[in-house]
Amino acid sequence: MEGLPQIKIRGIEIDMIRKLSTRLIDELTIVTQSPKNDFTLEMIHSTFVLDGEVATSYPFVEIAWFDRGQEIQDQVAQTISKLINEAGCPSVDIMFTILEKPRYYENGEHY
């Protein structure tokens, strides 16, 4: 399933993610038993606003993928959390979006 899982990260400095990226994907390939080229890692640059002022952002990771079951999902969340925590972020939120094969298209064809 080429291009999946899609990992989108915001609220973390790009240099931190660049340093973690190889280890992160290498560990996730083991947990998910997916080839490395199935993953995409995207940094989303965003600005948080509160009460009319620019606010401090917080680390947030979103993973869009085809369902792999609760156990694998938990292991992925734990792996990502561990690496981001070790890099100096004491907290990180992670959200999974489950894609449905009939609703996901590549070149006009659904899975």
Side-chain angles (χ1 to χ4, degrees):
M1 295 175 204
E2 194 171 322
L4 296 172
Q6 298 171 345
I7 303 169
K8 300 174 185 177
I9 301 173
R10 61 182 161 272
I12 302 175
E13 293 294 325
I14 185 122
D15 287 340
M16 180 185 292
I17 297 304
R18 285 179 57 229
K19 289 175 187 172
L20 290 177
S21 63
T22 300
R23 184 171 169 209
L24 174 66
I25 299 303
D26 286 348
E27 289 192 25
L28 292 179
T29 62
I30 294 167
V31 172
T32 63
Q33 298 183 1
S34 298
K36 194 171 191 169
N37 65 349
D38 278 3
F39 290 83
T40 60
L41 182 57
E42 176 183 357
M43 290 296 305
I44 299 174
H45 300 281
S46 58
T47 303
F48 289 69
V49 177
L50 178 65
D51 293 331
E53 300 292 330
V54 173
T56 304
S57 61
Y58 61 93
F60 190 87
V61 178
E62 180 181 352
I63 298 127
W65 67 356
F66 297 117
D67 191 16
R68 288 165 168 79
Q70 189 67 51
E71 183 178 339
I72 299 297
Q73 180 174 297
D74 290 348
Q75 290 174 358
V76 167
Q78 291 163 2
T79 299
I80 292 170
S81 294
K82 177 187 72 153
L83 291 175
I84 290 176
N85 294 157
E86 287 174 0
C89 294
S91 179
V92 58
D93 289 356
I94 300 171
M95 179 182 79
F96 289 84
T97 300
I98 306 302
L99 304 172
E100 297 176 33
K101 290 181 182 182
R103 298 183 192 281
Y104 189 92
Y105 288 77
E106 183 176 313
N107 297 321
E109 298 290 327
H110 71 79
Y111 278 84

